[in-house]
């Protein structure tokens, strides 16, 4: 579920952006993708080793010198892999797979989608069928609503304190007077920040959003 939801959320975000931001986001997607791929490989490495037949229950590690060397090599690799995977999982939770490298508004979005997806999965799987209705109404929406509230609070903080919004990132800001025409101004990282003054004239977005 994680390996599908995160790439899908990032892909939808990039597809929704207008040029030139879409091209810029495509160039920056390598870091979040690399973080997710590294964690998946770290967690799947032991299974990959057994699946390739390098290690089985009948493996005789003293049958040859090569087997002994392989034993020590696999042992050293697993000793390195365990703390790497644990540290990677912790950092992935904190930094949401480096999605802030794409844009500051992205990190709150994939976890929100993931937690609602997990809740729907639990409903269709019937996990809480034996639980009283009142408890079910508490368990199922509790986590999604909490995560959504935290995500909305983070997006609000970005908007009120730093002037960073999802619409500005996607170049899709709309006002009551019509749709703004966007012109990129020179700035760090090439990401424009929205101006608050509505106007029928083209709005020049000078100033930049800092990407983490």
């Amino acid at each position: 579920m994680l390996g599908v939801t995160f790439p899908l959320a990032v892909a939808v975000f990039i597809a929704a952006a207008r040029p030139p931001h879409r091209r810029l986001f495509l160039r920056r997607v390598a870091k979040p993708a690399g973080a997710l791929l590294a964690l998946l490989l770290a967690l799947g490495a032991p299974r990959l080793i057994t699946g390739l037949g390098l290690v089985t229950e009948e493996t005789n590690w003293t049958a040859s010198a090569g087997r002994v060397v392989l034993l020590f090599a696999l042992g050293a690799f697993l000793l390195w892999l365990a703390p790497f995977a644990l540290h990677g999982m912790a950092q992935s939770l904190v930094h949401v797979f480096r999605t802030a490298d794409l844009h500051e508004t992205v990190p709150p979005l994939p976890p929100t989608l993931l937690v609602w997806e997990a809740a729907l999965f639990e409903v269709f799987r019937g996990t809480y069928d034996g639980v009283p209705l009142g408890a079910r109404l508490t368990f199922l929406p509790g986590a999604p609503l909490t995560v959504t509230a935290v995500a909305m609070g983070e997006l609000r903080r970005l908007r009120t304190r730093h002037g960073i919004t999802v619409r500005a990132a996607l170049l899709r800001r709309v006002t009551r007077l019509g749709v703004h025409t966007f012109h990129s101004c020179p700035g760090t990282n090439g990401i424009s920040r929205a101006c608050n003054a509505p106007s029928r004239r083209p709005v020049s977005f000078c100033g930049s959003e800092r990407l983490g």
Side-chain angles (χ1 to χ4, degrees):
M1 187 181 296
L2 177 66
V4 174
T5 301
F6 269 66
L8 179 61
V10 171
V12 170
F13 182 86
I14 295 175
R18 291 177 176 171
H21 286 192
R22 185 182 302 162
R23 293 190 295 271
L24 184 61
F25 292 153
L26 284 173
R27 291 198 299 268
R28 294 185 174 182
V29 78
K31 291 181 179 179
L36 178 61
L37 181 61
L39 182 61
L40 292 178
L41 289 177
L43 296 177
R47 179 60 180 170
L48 181 62
I49 292 173
T50 56
L52 292 176
L54 298 176
V55 178
T56 64
E57 294 181 357
E58 293 79 20
T59 300
N60 183 3
W61 294 107
T62 60
S64 64
R67 289 288 179 86
V68 175
V69 172
L70 179 62
L71 173 63
F72 281 100
L74 289 176
F77 173 71
L78 292 176
L79 286 175
W80 168 83
L81 182 64
F84 173 82
L86 292 175
H87 180 72
M89 286 188 289
Q91 292 299 311
S92 296
L93 292 175
V94 172
H95 300 289
V96 198
F97 296 98
R98 299 192 64 176
T99 47
D101 288 337
L102 193 66
H103 192 266
E104 289 94 330
T105 59
V106 178
L109 304 179
T112 304
L113 177 61
L114 182 64
V115 73
W116 280 106
E117 183 181 359
L120 290 176
F121 181 75
E122 296 294 340
V123 169
F124 288 110
R125 196 174 64 172
T127 303
Y128 299 109
D129 285 348
V131 179
L133 179 61
R136 253 185 292 173
L137 294 177
T138 302
F139 290 152
L140 287 175
L145 290 176
T146 301
V147 174
T148 302
V150 173
M152 295 303 294
E154 176 63 16
L155 291 175
R156 182 180 182 277
R157 185 184 68 85
L158 289 172
R159 176 175 57 82
T160 57
R161 295 189 181 184
H162 307 285
I164 300 173
T165 65
V166 176
R167 283 184 176 179
L170 302 179
L171 290 181
R172 293 182 179 274
R173 174 171 288 268
V174 179
T175 70
R176 288 178 297 178
L177 297 179
V179 180
H180 286 316
T181 303
F182 294 84
H183 297 277
S184 297
C185 297
T188 308
N189 297 317
I191 294 290
S192 304
R193 183 164 57 192
C195 301
N196 293 324
S199 172
R200 291 184 181 273
R201 294 177 299 174
V203 177
S204 180
F205 286 80
C206 299
S208 301
E209 295 178 359
R210 179 183 58 81
L211 296 194

